[in-house]
Amino acid sequence: MRIVDITNEQGEVVEPHMLAMAEPVHRQLRPKLPENYPDNMRKLFSTGGRMIVAVEDEDTVVGVSIYRIYETTFDGKRLFIDDLVIDEDRRSKGIGKAMMAHFDALGQREGCDMMSLESGTHRLQTHKFYFREGMVITSFSFRKPIAKTTTN
């Protein structure tokens, strides 16, 4: 298994073939992603998002992760993982562990002070994995939808 950067530091897609192959695995976590996956992901990348995939057998995507690196007043330089999903048929095979190790190394190279993510309260098995990886719960995440206004 190998980890492939789909984007470069500028957010440009450098592996378009792998981006297309990531979609089915990514949709296992995010089934409501917009229909035009490549274009919508490029829009996300233009705002700081980056993507890596875990690949087996030359070109079989078995894991997908979206992440960002940015500064905060609380954590300093943070590597934030938006999404981390392993193909449901390949879970508990060390892929997630390898991806987390990749993020540890990336965070060190980039001079990050902290790595963080959010995980839905219902994802208990996933939480066990994060605890094994040395992550701890440090805060609550509060959210409120913002009403969309229509313009005429």
Side-chain angles (χ1 to χ4, degrees), residues 19 23 27 33-43:
L19 175 60
E23 182 177 0
R27 286 189 184 280
L33 285 168
E35 283 186 37
N36 192 341
Y37 183 79
D39 286 345
N40 280 287
M41 294 309 298
R42 282 182 174 87
K43 187 186 313 180

Side-chain angles (χ1 to χ4, degrees), residues 79-135:
L79 189 158
F80 183 81
I81 301 170
D82 289 14
D83 295 341
L84 176 63
V85 59
I86 309 306
D87 185 278
E88 57 195 13
D89 296 330
R90 300 291 300 137
R91 293 185 183 148
S92 298
K93 308 252 188 250
I95 298 163
K97 185 170 189 61
M99 293 178 82
M100 292 297 285
H102 177 84
F103 282 131
D104 276 333
L106 175 63
Q108 288 175 6
R109 278 194 316 272
E110 294 291 326
C112 293
D113 301 298
M114 184 66 56
M115 176 170 50
S116 64
L117 56 80
E118 293 184 1
S119 181
T121 56
H122 65 286
R123 301 178 53 87
L124 299 177
Q125 288 303 111
T126 303
H127 300 164
K128 289 178 185 178
F129 167 73
Y130 292 137
F131 290 138
R132 283 193 310 269
E133 291 300 306
M135 300 193 92

